[in-house]
Amino acid sequence: MKVFVQTFGCQMNVHDSGRIREIMRQAGYEPTDDPGDADVAIVNSCSIREKARHKAISAAGRLRQLKRRRTGMKIVFAGCVAEQDGASLFDLLPGIDAVIGPDHYAALPGLVAQAGAGGSPVATIGFDNGGPDNFLAATPGPDLSDATAFVTVMKGCEERCAYCIVPQVRGPERHRPLADIVEEARMLVGRGVREITLLGQKVNSYRSGDRSFTDLIEALDGVSGLSRIRFTSPHPRHMDDRLIRAFGRVGTLCEAIHIPVQSGSNGVLKRMGRAYTVERFVEIADALRDSCPGILISTDLIVGFPGETVTDFEDTLRLIERVRFSGVFSFKYSPRPGTPSSSLADDVVSAEKARRLAAVHEVTTAVERGIRESFVGKALEVLVDGEGRIPGQLSGRARNNQIVNFAMVNGSAKGETRGRLVQVEVTQALPHCLEGRA
Ligand code: 5AD
Ligand code: SF4
């Protein structure tokens, strides 16, 4: 029997889909990339913006058409839209077999069996109490060949940013015991993983008893064989001095941080409920560069939040240039049901949001190009994770998270190099990556 999983959304969802495949494998389902070949097809959905929700619903619609030709195929609607919409998805998408929220994936095989027994469709949503067993650790099969892995440290969020649906679809904040995280990291390193990304909706507010997020990083730094630690995503409000200094002090903590700023206007930040000012954000960025020269800082931005004026928006453009972000993920504001800002008028018209998005891209592209060009002629340590764009090339990421494609000088076989750390001299900066030679 075969299972197909289609994933939308953030790294949390990508990680969850990995766990879904493992759970289904243990129940006798082989993963497949071809929905036409699947006995169970799972859509792991994202609800962060209406467009994301729509994509997942359309994907499930396509699977329903496939199901007409594949008798016995089961369709499971999973993830954040499942949590958001619940049983109403059965009305929207007649013919799907089950709806399951992010806290229930351990129950998937049972749910699928129940749906197969001809019972009425089932919806499983709501949140667990965050006990140690409520975090799904990786259970990699014998074929694990990745050099990088995610490890969940916390789930849920209680920050209640005005625009954000995450508290509704991922529930209250629950933190995993520190010892369990370190144990999972040890297991993964034992299986050849060299780089771990710690995951949480607000990862740097992590606590375990009296141990802080920085304590967790230090504990992981002691795992022998682990070369690199990253984390995503931190909230600026929880960027304390100890964490900032850790970037200069903890050898495995990489010189890159993704830290969502959302807006460069204090008025907008205030209405978003972000609890920091533009000045504080700039101070954090400067302190990070003080602590760790060369660190690259990337961010998320929303354009067209209710009441965002042209002046507010221009402040955001100025912030991009001031902080010199190495990457900016920018999004048009999308009102989400039940969020605090959904009661505000969505008063920036779509064409104006598009114009602002284009302006962000233009400024960002120029800043990014300057940053990438500054690496030409320098050496970067690359963790190889596969083949490059051109045959014979290898590809991987530098500690600062830049993608680097490079040619081996004495052409060793690619199989030998995955997971290896290679010193690469950068020869060229391209629009989305660097090129170099080992
Ligand atoms: N509309 C647009 N973008 C949003 N984001 C979160 N909620 C919304 C929304 N309602 C963006 C934020 C966040 C990223 C993951 O998605 O920038 O950091
Ligand atoms: Fe999308 Fe947020 Fe769910 Fe991630 S946690 S999949 S970003 S809604």
Side-chain angles (χ1 to χ4, degrees):
M1 293 205 288
K2 294 204 168 137
V3 61
F4 167 77
V5 186
Q6 187 169 8
T7 310
F8 297 90
C10 65
Q11 283 157 321
M12 205 83 56
N13 262 18
V14 173
H15 179 65
D16 285 350
S17 287
R19 305 293 76 72
I20 288 174
R21 286 190 195 90
E22 289 168 357
I23 289 164
M24 292 301 285
R25 184 185 288 229
Q26 283 158 13
Y29 291 86
E30 277 306 304
T32 173
D33 292 333
D34 176 9
D37 204 24
D39 301 285
V40 176
I42 302 175
V43 176
N44 191 4
S45 61
C46 171
S47 57
I48 198 84
R49 287 167 290 276
E50 189 53 32
K51 207 165 121 193
R53 176 175 171 274
H54 228 91
K55 273 194 201 161
I57 289 170
S58 309
R62 283 192 298 276
L63 290 171
R64 277 164 65 216
Q65 297 193 333
L66 203 62
K67 186 179 166 176
R68 290 204 193 112
R69 285 182 273 123
R70 275 187 73 76
T71 35
M73 176 179 164
K74 298 279 166 295
I75 302 174
V76 180
F77 201 107
C80 298
V81 178
E83 191 65 47
Q84 180 193 348
D85 289 27
S88 70
L89 286 167
F90 294 122
D91 304 326
L92 192 65
L93 294 161
I96 62 170
D97 299 278
V99 170
I100 188 165
D103 274 5
H104 299 275
Y105 297 143
L108 256 173
L111 199 70
V112 168
Q114 204 180 327
S120 52
V122 251
T124 305
I125 54 174
F127 305 111
D128 60 54
N129 64 13
D133 297 340
N134 295 139
F135 290 89
L136 294 176
T139 50
D143 51 348
L144 174 72
S145 60
D146 295 336
T148 61
F150 295 118
V151 173
T152 304
V153 310
M154 53 95 73
K155 53 184 180 180
C157 183
E158 279 157 29
E159 200 71 23
R160 306 221 169 264
C161 301
Y163 49 80
C164 190
I165 199 164
V166 167
Q168 288 171 61
V169 296
R170 289 285 180 159
E173 231 171 288
R174 287 144 297 162
H175 299 188
R176 190 176 177 195
L178 188 139
D180 291 7
I181 299 169
V182 174
E183 189 184 303
E184 183 170 2
R186 281 220 172 86
M187 180 274 292
L188 290 166
V189 170
R191 301 290 307 274
V193 166
R194 291 287 160 264
E195 173 181 306
I196 280 176
T197 302
L198 305 175
L199 277 185
Q201 268 91 7
K202 208 177 58 179
V203 71
N204 58 337
S205 70
Y206 173 81
R207 293 206 77 81
S208 174
D210 58 357
R211 321 276 307 269
S212 69
F213 185 61
T214 309
D215 292 329
L216 171 65
I217 290 173
E218 284 175 353
L220 289 167
D221 186 58
V223 172
S224 104
L226 180 61
S227 309
R228 295 175 166 191
I229 301 172
R230 305 184 190 279
F231 56 82
T232 197
S233 289
H235 190 295
R237 188 161 87 76
H238 299 279
M239 286 303 297
D240 58 48
D241 284 347
R242 244 191 100 214
L243 179 55
I244 291 172
R245 281 198 306 272
F247 278 92
R249 192 165 45 77
V250 178
T252 52
L253 189 56
C254 289
E255 294 80 32
I257 184 169
H258 180 77
I259 176 163
V261 66
Q262 310 301 2
S263 169
S265 148
N266 281 332
V268 174
L269 286 176
K270 187 150 196 208
R271 276 181 288 118
M272 286 177 163
R274 293 289 288 174
Y276 54 85
T277 60
V278 176
E279 292 72 23
R280 172 62 190 149
F281 190 91
V282 168
E283 189 179 284
I284 292 168
D286 289 347
L288 281 164
R289 290 193 168 119
D290 245 24
S291 157
C292 179
I295 190 171
L296 294 188
I297 304 174
S298 55
T299 202
D300 289 346
L301 279 181
I302 296 174
V303 301
F305 185 77
E308 185 188 70
T309 63
V310 170
T311 318
D312 289 327
F313 174 67
E314 282 166 357
D315 287 344
T316 298
L317 291 182
R318 254 195 300 282
L319 183 70
I320 297 172
E321 287 177 324
R322 167 70 178 80
V323 177
R324 294 188 58 73
F325 289 114
S326 61
V328 176
F329 297 90
S330 50
F331 308 101
K332 288 187 196 171
Y333 171 71
S334 164
R336 310 308 295 128
T339 57
S341 67
S342 64
S343 60
L344 305 174
D346 183 12
D347 56 358
V348 180
V349 296
S350 183
E352 176 59 13
K353 283 180 187 163
R355 187 194 72 78
R356 292 183 193 181
L357 213 55
V360 167
H361 284 161
E362 197 181 313
V363 171
T364 307
T365 306
V367 172
E368 286 174 3
R369 187 184 313 121
I371 291 174
R372 263 194 303 278
E373 278 167 1
S374 72
F375 294 117
V376 175
K378 301 214 171 99
L380 292 174
E381 178 206 89
V382 177
L383 177 63
V384 180
D385 61 14
E387 291 172 47
R389 293 178 316 130
I390 301 170
Q393 262 187 345
L394 292 174
S395 177
R397 281 179 190 263
R399 284 175 58 100
N400 63 18
N401 221 10
Q402 292 285 312
I403 296 170
V404 185
N405 293 307
F406 65 98
M408 294 299 292
V409 167
N410 41 23
S412 54
K414 44 190 184 275
E416 297 166 26
T417 45
R418 184 190 279 268
R420 243 182 64 187
L421 295 166
V422 182
Q423 286 295 324
V424 175
E425 188 200 333
V426 177
T427 52
Q428 203 185 349
L430 297 175
H432 298 287
C433 65
L434 299 171
E435 283 207 344
R437 57 172 170 261

